[in-house]
Amino acid sequence: MPPRRDADFMDVDSDSDVSLPEDVRGKGKGKAKAGRKKDKGKGKAKDTQPYTWEASYTRSWETVQEDEAGSLQSAVEDWLARGRRKRLLNPATPIRRTIIRHLMLLLDLSSAMLDRDMRPTRFDLTLQYAREFVAEWFDQNPLGQIGVVGMRAGVGERVGEMSGNPQEVLGYLKERHKLEPTGDPSLQNAIEMARSSMSHLPTHSSREIVIIYGSLTTCDPGNIHETLETCMKDRIRISVVALAAEMKVCREMCDKTGGHFAVAMNEGHFKDVLFELVPPPAQHASAPRIISNSAGTGTGSTPADLIMMGFPTRLPDASPPSLCVCHSDLRSDGFLCPRCLAKVCDVPTDCDICGLMIVSSPHLARSYHHLFPVKQYEAVMSVEADAALACHACARPFPTAISATVTDGLSPWARYQCPECKQDYCSDCDIFVHDVIHCCPGCGK
Amino acid sequence: MADSRGSHLSVVLDLSPSQWHLSAENPPTNPFPLSLSSFLSQLLTFLNAHIASKHENSLAVFGAFPRKSILLYASSNTPTSDDTMDANWFPPFRQVDFTVVRRITEELDSLEGASEDEAPTALVGALTKALCYVNRIMQPPAQAIAKPSDKVDLSTLPEPHILILSVSPDLATSYIPIMNAIFSAQKLKVMIDVCQIYGEDSVFLQQAAHLTGGSYILLERRDALLQYLIMCFLSPQSIRQTLSVPTQDRIDFRAACFCHKNIVDIGFICSVCLSIFCQPVPVCSTCRTKFPMKTLQRLNASRPASANVSNRPSPSPAQSRPAVTSTNGDTPRSHGLSELPSTSSINAHTRTASNGTKSS
Ligand SMILES: [Zn+2]
Ligand SMILES: [Zn+2]
Ligand SMILES: [Zn+2]
Ligand SMILES: [Zn+2]
Ligand SMILES: [Zn+2]
Ligand SMILES: [Zn+2]
């Protein structure tokens, strides 16, 4: 897919250097766009600097402009305006997302990872970002599971089995000495290993492979295109973050399976493109491509299903100890299966006695704000005489004087109005309501 | 160190006139009556105690009335000048007492003429406002952002906590907003304390207190309200660890179904959007996904034994949860199987608080 170059797209993109992961997901891919993205981050007036090793020393702090009074107020306002415009561009209608996700993280552990073009080394940076990625991923996909496979010395190496426990997955990535890079990587071996560990999964879950790849070669025992075919058949979505340069086969894998391909330009960009893979993929974004490639089986990347789940009761730490059904340990705290009243140690899990999937309701509820987003507030352009004197949410008094610098998309009165309840909110509350609470204080929904 | 930072308390009052009327009814139906006026006088004493315990402490009081929520008092807002000074009254106390009582009276008077069937209270709105307010005071002043050269000492920001004093039963329609509020409280690192003053246990508020590291108390001896307030809820987060604050008993992790707003313990979940239904449905009402026929058949076949609107017994022996009957005429699940041993009151739990929030 060639990078899109139409004017609108450029405009959208130029708003996105505040590194929130959602904004560029699923849009243009590849180097041309990435290059633009990066040079913007480093200073708007500079010429393109596509690669880290071509870049001279950049003084990023000089790109923040002070106004005449020596204050950063205008820079802050600019940042606010960008955030608002970006949110307005995101669709407010609920979209379908695959929320029960299964992901295999494939880490390149070949000698190419010892390269120091990213500091301290590609390997250390990858480990650090992979840990942050895992933590963030579980935060947003509480019912998901992650497994880790390493690629070194020509084989795929199982670093950790699929697990739904963030601490366990972080534990896989903690022992640096066990992951010391060596030899050549083999994409095919690693993908086959990941594929086989996902083959038993129920049909209602998504299967994804995320590859962090530093090498420019792969040493495979067979034809990797056959592996790609089977992945497409199994509806596995492959995404690659390349640290060196674009490889045709990697790009092809991503395009054909509906994944996301990106080349990391520098340390910050590496993190950005990796974290773009954190939010659940919207289904409509990938479905058409999957259908066209796999002869139209099913309506989306994962067939939907209805799953029976139970909500447990948590026993207090002070309750009399009893044996748990999962480990036969004697302990006080635990969760009671609502169907058979067996005691399990941790949720989410499947009840060992009756097989019911047990989740606590906060696990599910964490993703509901995707389904019921708050309506965008409108910037108030003119204030009537009887308008409220203070923000309806936090009671901060509104400024009485009109702001001197008029920025597009910002209210000169610093008031933003909910279209439902017609109450005015300050800009801080506007951001907080839409990014954090996901519930309008006036309407209560 | 924690010495220089004050603590901020946001109190959310549930002021449903009908529930307070029930709470004030006389024995024997109601063993420990508590009227709104006696509640307010005890509350004001508690608020004064909070202000008095440290000079830096700040306070905000939010009221949830039927259909609307308002800020009753905030210590950051400039005092209104119409109050006359009283030499025998510490001015901040007077300020709080006067403002809170006046605003509540005004609001309740304006409700007088309202229609017979009372709308549920806007607890969510009040809680959301309390969070926005905390978000506001937890931000360093605007000048500090604009001029990073002036050093701001982040450690001077107050330590926030929110206390919800609820008298209404759970409102199932507010399940999602309450959950969203809980997650934002976690992000802001605000502890939410809950005191259910009247009525049965609140499933959602229990979860709110548990997930944010606060305490949840179902008040049984309503005549001892002030003692509960001061012993359990006065201390800020940093001091809680060293105190024996009553911890929660069982926590009910149930959710509300999207279709009938029933509170269920076994639900049917759409795998695409995680919407919860109390019975197998052919199409997800939220994301319009169609479910395969054979899943429906399988789930329907396994239902009579399992899938029912729950009637999990309430942990409180005093009141039993009214059985929620599902609209499709299912027989409620056998009570004998799900009978939990009735749990003790808070007095049995004066051990060291150690209920660290489980990472979920
Ligand atoms: Zn166990
Ligand atoms: Zn069970
Ligand atoms: Zn505000
Ligand atoms: Zn609104
Ligand atoms: Zn229902
Ligand atoms: Zn759905």
Side-chain angles (χ1 to χ4, degrees):
Chain A
M1 189 174 93
R4 283 186 262 168
R5 291 187 181 279
D6 50 296
D8 281 324
F9 178 67
M10 297 279 285
D11 198 18
V12 176
D13 193 25
S14 70
D15 286 341
S16 65
D17 62 342
V18 186
S19 64
L20 288 170
E22 293 217 25
D23 54 339
V24 283
R25 199 165 43 80
K27 289 187 182 147
K29 297 187 170 69
K31 214 177 302 176
K33 183 208 130 204
R36 275 208 312 282
K37 189 170 180 228
K38 182 234 168 183
D39 67 15
K40 221 186 331 107
K42 284 283 183 180
K44 290 171 174 62
K46 295 209 173 72
D47 290 323
T48 46
Q49 297 172 341
Y51 292 107
T52 313
W53 60 89
E54 290 174 15
S56 57
Y57 188 59
T58 24
R59 306 186 200 187
S60 53
W61 56 90
E62 285 185 353
T63 62
V64 177
Q65 294 296 315
E66 292 180 0
D67 60 19
E68 302 81 35
S71 124
L72 294 175
Q73 193 60 46
S74 56
V76 171
E77 270 179 18
D78 200 39
W79 180 81
L80 286 179
R82 274 203 306 256
R84 269 190 69 77
R85 280 204 301 271
K86 193 178 67 204
R87 266 192 283 113
L88 288 172
L89 288 164
N90 283 337
T93 50
I95 45 168
R96 292 172 45 173
R97 289 170 188 271
T98 312
I99 286 173
I100 301 183
R101 301 171 72 187
H102 290 88
L103 182 141
M104 292 298 294
L105 187 60
L106 269 55
L107 299 177
D108 187 348
L109 300 178
S110 68
S111 47
M113 294 299 280
L114 292 170
D115 208 317
R116 289 181 183 276
D117 61 345
M118 290 190 184
R119 265 148 279 202
T121 61
R122 287 180 181 178
F123 172 63
D124 284 306
L125 196 68
T126 301
L127 274 192
Q128 181 198 330
Y129 285 166
R131 281 184 217 123
E132 290 170 24
F133 173 80
V134 167
E136 182 70 22
W137 195 90
F138 275 111
D139 201 42
Q140 295 202 24
N141 306 283
L143 292 178
Q145 298 200 330
I146 292 187
V148 184
V149 168
M151 294 178 271
R152 63 175 160 186
V155 292
E157 199 176 304
R158 206 178 295 277
V159 177
E161 292 290 341
M162 242 198 198
S163 164
N165 181 346
Q167 293 315 315
E168 206 169 310
V169 180
L170 288 174
Y172 304 153
L173 300 169
K174 207 160 266 166
E175 293 170 66
R176 186 182 180 282
H177 63 276
K178 283 195 184 163
L179 302 171
E180 208 55 58
T182 177
D184 291 321
S186 167
L187 273 178
Q188 192 186 17
N189 283 337
I191 291 175
E192 283 294 345
M193 176 171 277
R195 197 177 65 82
S196 68
S197 53
M198 288 196 287
S199 58
H200 67 281
L201 292 178
T203 48
H204 50 69
S205 59
S206 85
R207 303 163 192 202
E208 294 165 63
I209 292 179
V210 169
I211 305 175
I212 300 178
Y213 207 60
S215 173
L216 285 170
T217 55
T218 166
C219 94
D220 294 335
N223 183 354
I224 194 165
H225 292 277
E226 283 166 16
T227 305
L228 178 55
E229 290 293 323
T230 43
C231 284
M232 282 159 59
K233 213 174 286 162
D234 287 355
R235 286 196 275 252
I236 295 175
R237 173 200 300 263
I238 302 179
S239 300
V240 178
V241 177
L243 303 186
E246 178 171 335
M247 273 168 78
K248 181 164 186 305
V249 65
C250 291
R251 161 55 63 91
E252 195 180 326
M253 283 193 300
C254 299
D255 284 354
K256 284 198 172 162
T257 58
H260 190 132
F261 180 85
V263 180
M265 314 308 296
N266 54 34
E267 291 88 342
H269 185 240
F270 179 19
K271 186 166 181 177
D272 288 352
V273 293
L274 185 62
F275 274 59
E276 277 164 27
L277 303 171
V278 169
Q283 279 217 328
H284 59 67
S286 67
R289 256 184 290 176
I290 297 273
I291 291 170
S292 64
N293 285 326
S294 60
T297 48
T299 50
S301 59
T302 51
D305 209 343
L306 198 59
I307 315 161
M308 185 151 71
M309 292 188 195
F311 303 106
T313 302
R314 182 180 181 272
L315 294 177
D317 304 341
S319 60
S322 60
L323 294 174
C324 73
V325 297
C326 35
H327 315 89
S328 302
D329 279 345
L330 195 64
R331 48 190 296 172
S332 303
D333 56 334
F335 296 84
L336 293 183
C337 166
R339 186 155 72 180
C340 65
L341 294 184
K343 190 175 98 171
V344 296
C345 287
D346 220 339
V347 289
T349 183
D350 287 336
C351 174
D352 291 87
I353 303 297
C354 67
L356 183 70
M357 183 168 182
I358 307 175
V359 294
S360 69
S361 75
H363 279 122
L364 299 178
R366 218 174 262 281
S367 58
Y368 287 157
H369 65 84
H370 289 309
L371 305 176
F372 308 104
V374 187
K375 284 215 174 101
Q376 287 304 326
Y377 292 170
E378 289 145 12
V380 175
M381 286 305 165
S382 61
V383 174
E384 276 145 47
D386 59 342
L389 295 174
C391 167
H392 186 65
C394 70
R396 190 198 310 260
F398 285 123
T400 43
I402 192 162
S403 157
T405 53
V406 180
T407 326
D408 184 32
L410 284 188
S411 161
W413 298 92
R415 285 165 185 250
Y416 300 91
Q417 193 175 69
C418 170
E420 291 270 303
C421 59
K422 301 285 175 204
Q423 301 285 356
D424 288 358
Y425 300 93
C426 66
S427 62
D428 283 343
C429 288
D430 176 27
I431 295 170
F432 186 64
V433 163
H434 287 96
D435 289 353
V436 182
I437 298 196
H438 305 291
C439 169
C440 173
C443 330
K445 60 186 176 198
Chain B
M1 281 306 289
D3 298 334
S4 61
R5 53 196 292 228
S7 85
H8 170 79
L9 174 68
S10 280
V11 185
V12 176
L13 305 176
D14 178 354
L15 294 166
S16 155
S18 61
Q19 289 297 121
W20 276 110
H21 178 73
L22 291 175
S23 166
E25 269 179 8
N26 286 328
T29 48
N30 191 9
F32 300 104
L34 178 70
S35 67
L36 182 58
S37 59
S38 117
F39 163 71
L40 283 179
S41 69
Q42 299 186 46
L43 174 75
L44 292 177
T45 312
F46 169 70
L47 297 181
N48 291 347
H50 171 77
I51 301 174
S53 44
K54 205 174 213 177
H55 179 68
E56 291 86 5
N57 282 1
S58 59
L59 176 72
V61 185
F62 297 84
F65 296 92
R67 240 184 240 111
K68 74 189 266 198
S69 58
I70 56 167
L71 174 71
L72 298 169
Y73 171 83
S75 49
S76 65
N77 286 13
T78 44
T80 41
S81 51
D82 58 356
D83 305 342
T84 45
M85 294 303 264
D86 186 331
N88 296 319
W89 210 341
F90 183 49
F93 288 1
R94 186 189 154 75
Q95 189 73 42
V96 176
D97 300 2
F98 197 77
T99 321
V100 169
V101 172
R102 196 191 58 205
R103 296 296 303 275
I104 292 179
T105 319
E106 280 171 11
E107 288 298 324
L108 290 181
D109 284 349
S110 73
L111 283 172
E112 286 296 91
S115 60
E116 286 292 293
D117 43 340
E118 182 188 302
T121 51
L123 190 69
V124 170
L127 178 58
T128 317
K129 279 178 193 162
L131 286 165
C132 285
Y133 189 84
V134 169
N135 180 52
R136 166 186 161 193
I137 59 162
M138 292 308 285
Q139 278 172 350
Q143 293 84 356
I145 300 177
K147 284 192 179 173
S149 50
D150 309 345
K151 285 257 166 60
V152 246
D153 190 4
L154 288 177
S155 64
T156 58
L157 288 176
E159 193 177 11
H161 83 269
I162 293 178
L163 169 63
I164 303 177
L165 299 169
S166 162
V167 289
S168 302
D170 272 323
L171 189 63
T173 45
S174 61
Y175 169 60
I176 296 172
I178 286 197
M179 283 322 227
N180 284 336
I182 295 175
F183 300 135
S184 31
Q186 285 181 325
K187 274 202 182 123
L188 286 173
K189 301 196 168 57
V190 190
M191 179 171 75
I192 299 183
D193 288 321
V194 179
C195 185
Q196 183 79 17
I197 293 176
Y198 177 76
E200 66 218 46
D201 261 315
S202 158
V203 175
F204 304 154
L205 295 182
Q206 263 183 16
Q207 299 184 20
H210 172 67
L211 293 170
T212 56
S215 331
Y216 171 91
I217 286 172
L218 176 71
L219 197 58
E220 279 162 14
R221 291 290 304 264
R222 276 184 285 278
D223 50 346
L225 173 70
L226 182 60
Q227 190 177 354
Y228 277 93
L229 289 177
I230 289 182
M231 302 306 285
C232 306
F233 301 125
L234 189 59
S235 51
Q237 209 159 355
S238 53
I239 299 177
R240 286 290 167 95
Q241 279 95 41
T242 48
L243 291 180
S244 281
V245 176
T247 52
Q248 265 166 290
D249 240 27
R250 296 162 178 266
I251 301 149
D252 206 331
F253 275 114
R254 288 180 300 169
C257 76
F258 288 22
C259 40
H260 312 93
K261 310 291 177 197
N262 288 329
I263 298 182
V264 294
D265 61 5
I266 293 182
F268 297 89
I269 318 288
C270 165
S271 71
V272 176
C273 66
L274 301 188
S275 298
I276 305 169
F277 304 98
C278 58
Q279 52 192 330
V281 287
V283 179
C284 171
S285 58
T286 310
C287 67
R288 304 268 148 227
T289 304
K290 289 194 180 64
F291 302 121
M293 208 51 219
K294 64 174 201 289
T295 311
L296 289 179
Q297 284 161 352
R298 180 170 49 82
L299 292 178
N300 271 319
S302 69
R303 272 190 83 208
S306 56
N308 255 310
V309 176
S310 105
N311 55 351
R312 185 181 291 175
S314 158
S316 145
Q319 295 105 7
S320 68
R321 189 189 304 279
V324 194
T325 41
S326 69
T327 50
N328 58 352
D330 281 312
T331 49
R333 199 176 70 208
S334 131
H335 219 268
L337 183 71
S338 60
E339 198 75 64
L340 304 174
S342 81
T343 48
S344 47
S345 69
I346 86 169
N347 304 324
H349 291 274
T350 44
R351 45 178 206 89
T352 315
S354 59
N355 61 334
T357 32
K358 269 193 129 50
S359 62
S360 46

